[in-house]
Amino acid sequence: SAVISQKPSRDICQRGTSLTIQCQVDSQVTMMFWYRQQPGQSLTLIATANQGSEATYESGFVIDKFPISRPNLTFSTLTVSNMSPEDSSIYLCSAAQGDYGYTFGSGTRLTVV
Amino acid sequence: GDSVTQMEGPVTLSEEAFLTINCTYTATGYPSLFWYVQYPGEGLQLLLKATKADDKGSNKGFEATYRKETTSFHLEKGSVQVSDSAVYFCALSAKGGNKLVFGAGTILRVKS
């Protein structure tokens, strides 16, 4: 199965600033996903990112707050914009791999102060 | 919509005890079912999966059988180890839907 390199692994950011998280996959994948995991909670899907089209956002998430890029079949970024302490979470990217299921990056632990 | 319900934790067991973590689902059609494990401070790893009714997924001594009649996918292990301490997530992917829907997660603590 594919391997996803996600960075940064953690960051502490000031409120009002933005952070861009990157995910690099070692093989081409059609569908990538971005999830948020708030402290002690399960994973919530933010959006689905397909190459060549705009990301599809889930209810409660908007492009202005979480812009996503998907320039090719091996790379995607998620930006958390105008951050507040409520954005403190773990953010994970994932890639769909057909029969292999879904592979996840190691996550970005974000703390907003 | 599609949903996954897991038994609440934490589950605390002694080493070599038998483990069951219950998972039931609601979905239209016949989804694929997954168990993921998250060790402390790490991302998610696929533990096992099943794509159709009566399939049994297995890995590292863990097993789960896709039961369409009870819409369940319970995780079992005959003898847990301290190193199995982690959070376990049950998830589904609807056919054609692609995205994963996760349960709330179950914390497992194994004591020596």
Side-chain angles (χ1 to χ4, degrees):
Chain A
S1 62
V3 174
I4 301 179
S5 299
Q6 182 173 346
K7 60 181 182 181
S9 59
R10 60 179 63 231
D11 207 342
I12 301 173
C13 300
Q14 297 291 323
R15 68 178 66 199
T17 63
S18 297
L19 175 72
T20 296
I21 302 167
Q22 300 180 0
C23 277
Q24 179 74 52
V25 191
D26 68 352
S27 61
Q28 294 185 343
V29 294
T30 302
M31 302 189 73
M32 292 186 71
F33 307 88
W34 287 96
Y35 290 86
R36 181 175 72 182
Q37 186 179 22
Q38 294 178 301
Q41 303 293 314
S42 186
L43 282 78
T44 301
L45 181 66
I46 297 171
T48 302
N50 292 330
Q51 193 267 336
S53 63
E54 286 199 4
T56 303
Y57 289 82
E58 297 296 304
S59 176
F61 297 96
V62 295
I63 187 171
D64 289 347
K65 176 67 175 177
F66 297 102
I68 288 171
S69 77
R70 184 81 202 275
N72 56 52
L73 290 174
T74 64
F75 188 78
S76 181
T77 67
L78 170 77
T79 298
V80 186
S81 303
N82 188 25
M83 289 184 283
S84 66
E86 292 71 34
D87 294 320
S88 298
S89 293
I90 299 173
Y91 293 85
L92 298 106
C93 63
S94 174
Q97 292 219 275
D99 290 345
Y100 291 109
Y102 299 77
T103 302
F104 283 81
S106 55
T108 296
R109 187 178 297 271
L110 171 63
T111 302
V112 184
V113 298
Chain B
D2 299 341
S3 65
V4 176
T5 302
Q6 287 182 238
M7 64 186 290
E8 288 193 20
V11 174
T12 302
L13 297 173
S14 297
E15 207 164 20
E16 299 183 1
F18 184 86
L19 168 71
T20 299
I21 300 177
N22 290 338
C23 171
T24 57
Y25 67 88
T26 302
T28 54
Y30 303 104
S32 295
L33 302 174
F34 305 85
W35 277 101
Y36 282 87
V37 58
Q38 185 176 37
Y39 298 102
E42 298 185 12
L44 269 70
Q45 300 176 25
L46 177 64
L47 183 59
L48 53 85
K49 66 181 178 74
T51 58
K52 61 183 187 296
D54 300 325
D55 267 2
K56 177 186 283 188
S58 61
N59 185 26
K60 299 181 181 180
F62 291 90
E63 292 183 341
T65 301
Y66 189 143
R67 301 287 188 198
K68 187 180 70 172
E69 63 276 14
T70 55
T71 62
S72 65
F73 193 55
H74 305 322
L75 182 68
E76 297 182 337
K77 187 175 185 182
S79 175
V80 293
Q81 305 299 312
V82 173
S83 57
D84 293 326
S85 298
V87 183
Y88 292 81
F89 292 95
C90 185
L92 70 80
S93 172
K95 292 290 190 290
N98 290 301
K99 65 182 182 182
L100 277 172
V101 175
F102 285 89
T106 301
I107 297 172
L108 171 65
R109 297 176 179 146
V110 181
K111 297 184 174 182
S112 59

